[in-house]
């Protein structure tokens, strides 16, 4: 058979056996969560979670149904490509700060490509950026030792002030 028409919600009659329902598509906004592992500029492996919100363009439903077998897989591949080309240019701290930049890059890349296949990319969000557990532990240790060093400095300063006040008295 061939594509004849798109039916919108409501009551419709299908002249069987002359017509038939080949498939169903949702016109709602859908979300695809993608997790990608990549390496930063300072050689730290991170898990990057990206949420992609997309929907079928009503006027391009034919393309959305017939041109792509698995749109979720296609979107996932593009997300992997963009994340793996963007994050390795940044150091770990910079990647945490630039999550919006990564999301915008993914959105711009996907929006153009997926429109040709009948899909509109509404939004992309970097939902998670987490380094390896050992890296997290070492970062926490560095912060704790920095705070301990600062506390010791303040304590020494307080002791000095006490000694000066005692000498004055």
């Amino acid at each position: 058979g061939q594509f004849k028409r798109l039916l919108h919600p409501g009551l419709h009659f299908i002249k069987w056996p002359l017509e038939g329902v080949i498939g169903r598509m949702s016109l709602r906004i859908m979300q695809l969560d993608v997790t990608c592992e990549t390496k930063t500029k300072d050689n730290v492996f991170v898990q990057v979670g990206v949420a992609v919100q997309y929907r079928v363009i009503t006027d391009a439903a034919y393309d959305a149904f017939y041109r792509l077998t698995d749109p979720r897989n296609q979107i996932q591949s593009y997300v992997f490509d963009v994340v793996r080309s963007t994050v390795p240019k940044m150091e770990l701290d910079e990647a945490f700060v630039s999550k919006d930049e990564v999301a915008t890059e993914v959105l711009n890349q996907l929006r153009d490509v997926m429109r040709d296949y009948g899909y509109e990319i509404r939004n992309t969000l970097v939902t998670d950026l987490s380094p390896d557990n050992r890296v997290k532990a070492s970062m926490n240790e560095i912060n704790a030792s920095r705070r301990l060093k600062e506390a010791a400095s303040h304590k020494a300063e307080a002791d000095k002030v006490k000694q000066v006040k005692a000498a004055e008295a």
Side-chain angles (χ1 to χ4, degrees):
Q2 76 183 59
F3 179 81
K4 298 252 189 209
R5 62 187 166 141
L6 177 69
L7 297 177
H8 296 283
L11 180 64
H12 298 280
F13 295 100
I14 298 173
K15 298 173 235 136
W16 189 84
L18 302 175
E19 291 182 330
V21 177
I22 300 302
R24 298 175 191 269
M25 294 190 79
S26 175
L27 299 178
R28 292 180 176 180
I29 294 176
M30 297 169 273
Q31 180 167 315
L32 175 64
D33 294 317
V34 180
T35 303
C36 175
E37 184 176 48
T38 189
K39 188 167 78 166
T40 61
K41 191 176 186 178
D42 48 354
N43 294 324
V44 176
F45 281 93
V46 291
Q47 294 281 335
V48 181
V50 179
V52 179
Q53 297 169 345
Y54 66 100
R55 71 176 192 86
V56 173
I57 300 170
T58 308
D59 296 337
Y62 176 85
D63 290 334
F65 189 78
Y66 286 106
R67 290 191 65 199
L68 273 182
T69 310
D70 189 2
R72 297 174 73 85
N73 222 2
Q74 186 77 14
I75 291 171
Q76 186 175 8
S77 297
Y78 277 106
V79 170
F80 281 171
D81 182 48
V82 174
V83 168
R84 288 183 177 152
S85 66
T86 306
V87 174
K89 296 176 187 172
M90 306 174 187
E91 291 188 357
L92 182 62
D93 293 336
E94 186 184 349
F96 277 108
V97 173
S98 304
K99 288 185 348 182
D100 289 340
E101 196 177 299
V102 174
T104 303
E105 189 72 29
V106 171
L107 179 65
N108 292 338
Q109 182 81 18
L110 276 176
R111 190 174 270 165
D112 297 335
V113 173
M114 294 306 289
R115 183 170 307 259
D116 294 340
Y117 295 109
Y119 288 91
E120 175 189 9
I121 305 299
R122 299 294 299 248
N123 200 6
T124 58
L125 303 166
V126 175
T127 55
D128 186 31
L129 191 84
S130 59
D132 185 47
N133 287 333
R134 290 177 293 175
V135 174
K136 280 184 194 176
S138 67
M139 288 172 73
N140 289 337
E141 238 178 82
I142 290 169
N143 285 334
S145 66
R146 188 179 304 138
R147 287 193 180 97
L148 287 173
K149 180 180 174 185
E150 191 175 314
S153 171
H154 287 299
K155 187 173 191 277
E157 187 70 31
D159 288 343
K160 177 182 161 187
V161 169
K162 282 182 188 177
Q163 287 177 357
V164 168
K165 291 290 183 186
E168 288 176 354

